[in-house]
Amino acid sequence: MFNILYSALSVLSLLFLSGSELNNYPTNIILFIVIFIFINKMHKYKKNTALLSLILTFFLLLGKYKIYLDDSSGLMLAIKLIITPIGTYILSQHLFGYVFDILDNKKIKNITPISYKLSFIIAFLVICFSWLAVLIIKYPGIIYPDTLNQIIQSFGDRPLNNMNPLFHTLLIKVFYNISLSFTKDINIATFIVSLIQLVFCSFIYAYICKYIYKRTNNIYFYVATLIFYGYISYNVFYNISISKDAMYTVFTALFICMIDNLCNEPSNKNIILFVITGILYSLLRNNGFYSLIVVTFVIIVLCIKFNFKKLTITMILTLILTSVIRGPIYSAIIVSSNKQYVENNPNIKSPSFVGSFLFVVPFQQIANVVVHDRELNEKEEWLIEEYIPFEQIKEVYNPILIDPLYSEIEKYCKPTRLNIAKIEYFKLWVELFLKYPLDYLEAYVNMNKYYFYPNKYIENIYYTSIYPNEYGIKYIDNNETLINKIETSYSNQKKIPLVSSLFSPGTVVFILLICLYYCLLKKNKTTFVSMFHLLVNFLILMAFVPLNDEFRYIYPVVACLPLIITQAISNNEYKEGDVK
């Protein structure tokens, strides 16, 4: 009897979330029968999936709140608000119970036709030449807008700063200087810098392929990982571009391996590799440092119960060294470099850092209130206009992009204003939230939906060109027809069934949550710890994301998908050292 009720509620919740017609009786009856058969099967994990089911229900409701709230009023709205969360929760519980049953009953056969050493060599050659073919066609490479800003800084034509990771800017400077010492052609130099990054990233991903082969002892997992890194479009185009995102991502993936290695074999070699990887992970994107702080705190707490002494000490050491580099060492480099810049450009003042996305993300919610012409009192209007004029907000506001608003605030707002008025600003943010919570919700969902809602696809997956510049970095006599064919073939991957799921950040994030939750249920603390920083990356993204429709922010999590799945389904003890 209850299963019939559960099935009916599940069907109605799916119809409300999808916006489908309730009077399509044949389809709805078939859907009811399928769900009833599914729910009728008992799963031993059903009661243990409550938290995960609540999270999925919350994300689905948040991502689709407009569908079941718009054009609904009175009794129908009340029905939707009651049935949708209940039905979604019931279906999620049974779905996750079924998934955990599958994971429990899995049997990975040992199929190792090649040695571990050979698996690394093959992976390196396949990935390297797969990417190289595209890089040659796209000669001299791909330059992002952020990368161009770093190149300008590295050439001394703009003051150094840490808005884009300073460490990566310095790497660009070093490798451009080396390349330009061999050639005066800026395009050849750009190609060499791109090639250096390509080879390095190929090396790391080849190691990860080998790691997965050793972890599973199964050639099919190895081949799947090799295809993922060598041929999935975003892995190709990010790694042939000079990009902080590619470098940060490769160290995000490597960090999982290093944590796992250290937990399983706390040798001096693994400790040194862990510290180096952790430092680079923290320096190649600013949120990597914040992630390391959170992960270190969590591991300290876990150490009390699980005795992770060596890992805890190593994490604290890594955090201290990173803090020293990001603090006094960075300050000395920036002061020294910018002093020279001011001497060479006496009429140009070195700009100070005005704001941060920590400030502007909440302002996006305030701006949404202004855009909707909500009623504001005199003090609220005055305080908002201290940062940016009302009409300017309406002109530049973009629901999924913070950058225009951020730029305008930098133009209109004095630096001293941002430093002094933080408390007033926070009070304003709270007051308007209490008055217009739905406007805040709308702004938040618009900024984050693509990152947490399953089956949503981001259009701007990767950049495929060279951002206009004054240095002469450009495409010369490239075969446009061939380039278009290559780019189209890679772009069409997201239209392939199943493969298309790899292009949905929300789907990948839920695979991560499922695997982490499963590790907790199985009390697999080492695996949980090794992947926890991915969850922290996602949460930082959800809190301070500056742009919704941009894949590169979630790319570090997506690129770790083979490791996420492998860590969850493989309980084999992993030790360094070849067996062949």
Side-chain angles (χ1 to χ4, degrees):
M1 181 64 184
F2 279 110
N3 285 348
I4 294 174
L5 177 62
Y6 292 159
S7 302
L9 290 172
S10 299
V11 170
L12 287 172
S13 68
L14 289 177
L15 294 177
F16 290 150
L17 283 172
S18 62
S20 301
E21 297 290 333
L22 294 176
N23 57 5
N24 189 353
Y25 299 116
T27 303
N28 295 344
I29 289 170
I30 294 171
L31 183 61
F32 173 82
I33 293 170
V34 171
I35 291 177
F36 176 76
I37 294 171
F38 176 70
I39 287 180
N40 218 31
K41 295 183 70 175
M42 296 301 294
H43 305 292
K44 66 177 179 179
Y45 281 112
K46 192 178 73 172
K47 291 181 181 179
N48 294 328
T49 60
L51 178 60
L52 191 60
S53 301
L54 283 172
I55 294 171
L56 178 61
T57 301
F58 175 73
F59 281 169
L60 287 174
L61 295 179
L62 193 61
K64 286 286 189 179
Y65 80 98
K66 278 196 169 183
I67 286 181
Y68 57 84
L69 289 183
D70 287 358
D71 303 322
S72 298
S73 58
L75 180 61
M76 192 60 191
L77 178 60
I79 291 171
K80 284 184 177 183
L81 289 175
I82 294 170
I83 290 178
T84 307
I86 295 173
T88 306
Y89 174 79
I90 291 168
L91 191 58
S92 301
Q93 264 205 313
H94 286 82
L95 175 64
F96 292 134
Y98 180 68
V99 170
F100 292 155
D101 278 355
I102 292 174
L103 289 175
D104 257 9
N105 296 322
K106 70 187 180 301
K107 290 182 179 178
I108 303 176
K109 293 182 179 179
N110 287 350
I111 308 173
T112 55
I114 59 174
S115 69
Y116 296 146
K117 190 174 291 185
L118 182 59
S119 71
F120 171 81
I121 295 170
I122 292 172
F124 175 74
L125 293 175
V126 169
I127 294 171
C128 189
F129 283 105
S130 169
W131 295 352
L132 182 60
V134 181
L135 177 60
I136 290 171
I137 293 169
K138 295 286 294 181
Y139 175 87
I142 296 171
I143 303 292
Y144 281 71
D146 281 355
T147 306
L148 179 62
N149 182 37
Q150 291 177 279
I151 291 172
I152 294 171
Q153 291 180 44
S154 68
F155 286 172
D157 296 327
R158 187 174 293 171
L160 275 179
N161 61 61
N162 195 33
M163 182 68 73
N164 291 303
L166 178 60
F167 179 76
H168 189 250
T169 303
L170 296 175
L171 280 180
I172 290 173
K173 181 175 183 177
V174 168
F175 288 116
Y176 258 110
N177 287 342
I178 292 172
S179 302
L180 289 170
S181 67
F182 292 103
T183 176
K184 299 302 178 185
D185 190 319
I186 189 67
N187 287 308
I188 295 176
T190 300
F191 178 78
I192 292 172
V193 175
S194 301
L195 185 62
I196 291 170
Q197 178 187 284
L198 182 152
V199 172
F200 176 80
C201 291
S202 298
F203 184 89
I204 300 299
Y205 285 127
Y207 169 80
I208 290 171
C209 289
K210 172 191 167 185
Y211 169 90
I212 287 175
Y213 185 44
K214 295 174 81 169
R215 184 76 193 238
T216 61
N217 283 319
N218 188 288
I219 192 69
Y220 296 114
F221 281 87
Y222 166 78
V223 171
T225 306
L226 181 54
I227 292 171
F228 175 79
Y229 287 123
Y231 296 100
I232 293 299
S233 60
Y234 45 72
N235 289 319
V236 176
F237 282 92
Y238 273 108
N239 287 288
I240 67 170
S241 63
I242 303 173
S243 165
K244 64 180 185 288
D245 301 302
M247 292 296 289
Y248 177 70
T249 297
V250 81
F251 279 101
T252 300
L254 190 60
F255 199 45
I256 294 176
C257 304
M258 293 301 108
I259 293 175
D260 191 45
N261 288 347
L262 187 60
C263 288
N264 280 289
E265 189 178 334
S267 63
N268 291 335
K269 172 191 168 185
N270 285 338
I271 289 173
I272 293 169
L273 289 174
F274 177 91
V275 171
I276 293 170
T277 303
I279 290 173
L280 292 173
Y281 165 73
S282 304
L283 296 180
L284 283 164
R285 192 187 276 178
N286 292 328
N287 59 308
F289 178 64
Y290 307 134
S291 170
L292 188 69
I293 293 172
V294 175
V295 173
T296 302
F297 174 76
V298 169
I299 288 176
I300 289 172
V301 173
L302 290 175
C303 178
I304 298 171
K305 187 172 183 181
F306 297 120
N307 199 27
F308 283 161
K309 286 184 180 177
K310 280 202 172 181
L311 178 60
T312 304
I313 293 169
T314 309
M315 286 291 289
I316 293 172
L317 175 63
T318 305
L319 188 59
I320 291 171
L321 291 173
T322 305
S323 301
V324 170
I325 294 170
R326 288 175 56 89
I329 293 178
Y330 268 17
S331 296
I333 292 171
I334 290 173
V335 168
S336 173
S337 174
N338 291 352
K339 182 180 179 182
Q340 188 177 358
Y341 173 81
V342 172
E343 289 174 357
N344 295 336
N345 302 273
N347 297 323
I348 300 176
K349 293 184 179 180
S350 178
S352 60
F353 178 65
V354 176
S356 72
F357 283 122
L358 180 64
F359 167 85
V360 182
V361 170
F363 204 95
Q364 184 86 345
Q365 295 174 308
I366 295 173
N368 198 39
V369 172
V370 174
V371 168
H372 285 302
D373 292 318
R374 305 302 186 195
E375 185 179 345
L376 300 169
N377 61 41
E378 265 186 50
K379 183 182 177 183
E380 290 165 347
E381 287 184 2
W382 171 80
L383 191 53
I384 292 172
E385 291 212 319
E386 281 287 288
Y387 296 97
I388 178 173
F390 266 56
E391 293 308 314
Q392 202 64 24
I393 291 175
K394 294 178 181 179
E395 185 178 326
V396 302
Y397 179 76
N398 185 326
I400 66 170
L401 179 61
I402 287 178
D403 287 15
L405 190 63
Y406 178 80
S407 300
E408 291 303 310
I409 289 174
E410 282 196 315
K411 276 186 200 174
Y412 285 94
C413 188
K414 296 177 182 178
T416 51
R417 181 70 201 149
L418 289 182
N419 292 327
I420 294 170
K422 287 177 182 176
I423 295 176
E424 292 177 12
Y425 164 74
F426 179 72
K427 286 180 181 177
L428 171 69
W429 181 77
V430 172
E431 286 171 8
L432 292 182
F433 168 70
L434 294 175
K435 288 169 71 173
Y436 306 109
L438 286 180
D439 288 345
Y440 273 48
L441 175 66
E442 180 183 51
Y444 182 80
V445 171
N446 286 337
M447 287 189 290
N448 290 276
K449 181 163 62 176
Y450 287 90
Y451 299 124
F452 67 77
Y453 188 79
N455 210 34
K456 267 286 182 185
Y457 302 96
I458 292 178
E459 290 299 320
N460 301 317
I461 296 179
Y462 44 79
Y463 203 65
T464 59
S465 60
I466 294 173
Y467 197 74
N469 61 89
E470 297 178 357
Y471 296 108
I473 306 173
K474 60 183 180 180
Y475 296 121
I476 303 170
D477 299 327
N478 293 66
N479 188 328
E480 291 295 330
T481 304
L482 179 60
I483 288 175
N484 289 336
K485 284 183 178 179
I486 293 293
E487 290 180 359
T488 302
S489 65
Y490 276 109
S491 179
N492 286 339
Q493 287 180 354
K494 58 186 175 185
K495 298 177 183 178
I496 303 171
L498 295 180
V499 175
S500 62
S501 299
L502 300 175
F503 294 84
S504 168
T507 301
V508 174
V509 165
F510 249 90
I511 292 173
L512 170 63
L513 292 175
I514 289 168
C515 291
L516 283 171
Y517 200 85
Y518 181 69
C519 290
L520 285 177
L521 291 179
K522 302 300 290 185
K523 298 181 180 178
N524 192 338
K525 55 186 182 295
T526 300
T527 303
F528 177 83
V529 167
S530 69
M531 293 192 293
F532 182 72
H533 72 286
L534 295 178
L535 178 61
V536 176
N537 263 284
F538 168 70
L539 294 176
I540 290 172
L541 183 69
M542 290 288 287
F544 308 118
V545 56
L547 179 58
N548 184 353
D549 196 21
E550 188 87 45
F551 189 84
R552 65 190 181 91
Y553 291 106
I554 195 69
Y555 176 55
V557 176
V558 175
C560 291
L561 182 60
L563 284 165
I564 294 168
I565 295 171
T566 300
Q567 294 284 79
I569 67 175
S570 172
N571 292 314
N572 299 331
E573 185 179 8
Y574 176 74
K575 295 289 184 182
E576 283 290 325
D578 291 343
V579 296
K580 290 188 181 181

